[in-house]
Amino acid sequence: MKNWYTRQEVADILGISKATVYHYAKQKKIIKIANPHRLIREVRYKQEEVDALAIERQRHQPLGLRPSTLAKQLGVTPQRIYALIRETTLPVDELPVGDERTIYSIPDETADWIRQEIERTASARGTRVEYYDAKFDIVLYQLFRTQQGQEMRVLRNDDQEWGFYLQSRAWIPFTNGIYAYQYEAAYPIHQPNRRVRGYTDFLLPKDMQESFDFLDFVYQVWGIENIRIREHDTHIDLSIKSGEIAVPIPVPDILTESIIKQFLVLGDVVIEEAEWTLISGYRRTTFDLPSNLLDELQGISKEKDLSMSEYVEDALREKIAREKIME
């Protein structure tokens, strides 16, 4: 009767890599069967030791969320989750895997705190990672077409995976749509990066077709470099860098001036035949800062993919909200 496992079998049973099996044997967590005369080509490990370790790992396996899973749910990077793990004093389970790595498991209480902290510190406007995927070079609600002219839009499912929902509500992963069904982007989404001179803010209801027509127009004219988007259940917050811009494409007939003004929530828009002027709803001000604090502000803003004005605005909003709570 066989009383041993191969390295691959050990890896499969314990859910680890073959390299980790080597480290487990080196640390005496499992016993490698001696083979001094090299009579058997493949390394073997004692079955009883491997089975005992598998039972032990199952007994102590944390039941919380993996950082990568929580990051997907919240639409942030795993590095953001690890940074918050280091900040909190709440419990986080650690499971060594034997090759000097540690798997983290986040209990429900800690996961709830991380969710609240990400929501609390979120930018008032969307950050690019929320609406743009650099790997596929696609943006939220971007219009695609089949070769037969059928239209669909880029979305993310509940697991934060990019793809398309068809009218039948069937989910098509993005790579399947591109390579299997040959969906093609209806327009480019990049334009030169414009200097920030404030933002003009819009609110686009999801139950209006004009909202998505306006997004198509904005992607083509301003490009993702000059906008911010944050998605909500019922609407989309859209912020566009203020200033004059030449409009190189025809404005769709459905986008009347009254419709665009209806979307407007902060600032103003002056619409002319070949040029639009977006007026910021903000007033420019200046204040003095110590040079070392200014350097820190520049570094943090860059790390968060925000301008310094955006970062300061978010920090002030948060500070004012806290003061109101304390009153």
Side-chain angles (χ1 to χ4, degrees):
M1 179 180 176
K2 176 182 174 183
N3 61 354
W4 49 267
Y5 292 125
T6 65
R7 181 174 293 174
Q8 185 61 61
E9 288 173 331
V10 174
D12 293 340
I13 291 168
L14 298 180
I16 57 179
S17 68
K18 291 172 71 174
T20 302
V21 174
Y22 170 80
H23 286 287
Y24 273 21
K26 192 174 180 180
Q27 296 165 1
K28 307 298 183 185
K29 290 185 177 182
I30 55 177
I31 305 302
K32 183 166 67 172
I33 298 174
N35 184 25
H37 304 294
R38 301 184 182 275
L39 299 176
I40 298 177
R41 185 175 179 180
E42 190 162 12
V43 177
R44 298 173 299 162
Y45 299 87
K46 288 187 177 180
Q47 182 177 8
E48 60 186 34
E49 300 287 340
V50 175
D51 289 344
L53 182 58
I55 293 171
E56 181 72 10
R57 284 170 59 87
Q58 185 65 35
R59 184 182 299 123
H60 294 94
Q61 184 72 30
L63 300 177
L65 289 170
R66 295 284 295 275
S68 57
T69 303
L70 185 57
K72 261 191 173 182
Q73 290 179 1
L74 298 176
V76 299
T77 64
Q79 289 76 16
R80 175 72 172 127
I81 303 298
Y82 283 115
L84 290 171
I85 286 174
R86 290 192 292 269
E87 289 179 17
T88 184
T89 57
L90 294 174
V92 177
D93 296 318
E94 299 182 13
L95 179 65
V97 294
D99 54 356
E100 301 183 353
R101 291 186 299 117
T102 298
I103 294 176
Y104 291 97
S105 179
I106 306 172
D108 290 343
E109 177 189 10
T110 307
D112 288 341
W113 176 83
I114 289 175
R115 290 188 185 96
Q116 293 170 10
E117 189 66 9
I118 287 176
E119 182 177 347
R120 183 183 69 81
T121 58
S123 167
R125 297 186 180 91
T127 55
R128 190 169 297 184
V129 70
E130 294 182 50
Y131 58 88
Y132 174 66
D133 184 86
K135 176 182 177 182
F136 297 132
D137 192 28
I138 52 176
V139 65
L140 195 63
Y141 293 110
Q142 183 180 354
L143 184 66
F144 275 68
R145 294 191 180 100
T146 65
Q147 294 179 346
Q148 292 74 36
Q150 180 187 4
E151 295 185 345
M152 64 285 299
R153 292 187 180 275
V154 171
L155 290 166
R156 280 181 297 201
N157 61 16
D158 292 339
D159 294 324
Q160 297 299 306
E161 298 168 330
W162 292 90
F164 307 91
Y165 276 115
L166 303 184
Q167 290 184 346
S168 63
R169 300 305 296 167
W171 172 254
I172 304 294
F174 182 76
T175 51
N176 288 8
I178 298 301
Y179 299 115
Y181 303 108
Q182 299 185 341
Y183 298 165
E184 296 181 353
Y187 45 72
I189 59 173
H190 295 286
Q191 294 292 339
N193 199 352
R194 297 164 60 88
R195 184 176 157 192
V196 178
R197 295 175 177 168
Y199 281 88
T200 306
D201 296 332
F202 301 83
L203 187 151
L204 310 180
K206 288 184 178 179
D207 59 357
M208 291 181 62
Q209 175 59 41
E210 292 88 342
S211 296
F212 302 100
D213 293 326
F214 187 50
L215 268 183
D216 293 335
F217 179 72
V218 167
Y219 287 152
Q220 295 174 78
V221 175
W222 282 271
I224 63 162
E225 293 78 9
N226 301 297
I227 65 172
R228 297 282 182 182
I229 288 176
R230 171 155 289 160
E231 185 178 29
H232 301 274
D233 289 340
T234 60
H235 66 277
I236 302 162
D237 289 336
L238 169 66
S239 299
I240 307 175
K241 289 180 183 177
S242 302
E244 298 177 356
I245 190 167
V247 177
I249 61 174
V251 180
D253 293 337
I254 196 172
L255 294 179
T256 63
E257 186 168 349
S258 62
I259 286 289
I260 294 165
K261 296 279 188 176
Q262 180 181 333
F263 293 153
L264 189 67
V265 293
L266 188 61
D268 201 359
V269 181
V270 177
I271 299 174
E272 298 177 351
E273 184 174 349
E275 183 179 87
W276 284 28
T277 301
L278 271 60
I279 301 170
S280 173
Y282 294 74
R283 287 184 293 175
R284 183 173 296 276
T285 186
T286 60
F287 50 88
D288 296 328
L289 288 176
S291 57
N292 60 340
L293 183 57
L294 180 60
D295 291 340
E296 286 189 44
L297 178 60
Q298 289 175 325
I300 294 173
S301 302
K302 185 175 182 181
E303 181 181 321
K304 291 181 175 291
D305 191 27
L306 299 171
S307 69
M308 284 196 294
S309 295
E310 290 174 303
Y311 181 76
V312 170
E313 179 188 340
D314 292 343
L316 287 174
R317 286 182 186 276
E318 182 181 333
K319 174 67 174 175
I320 291 171
R322 286 179 176 177
E323 294 288 346
K324 288 182 177 179
I325 291 172
M326 294 173 63
E327 289 178 355

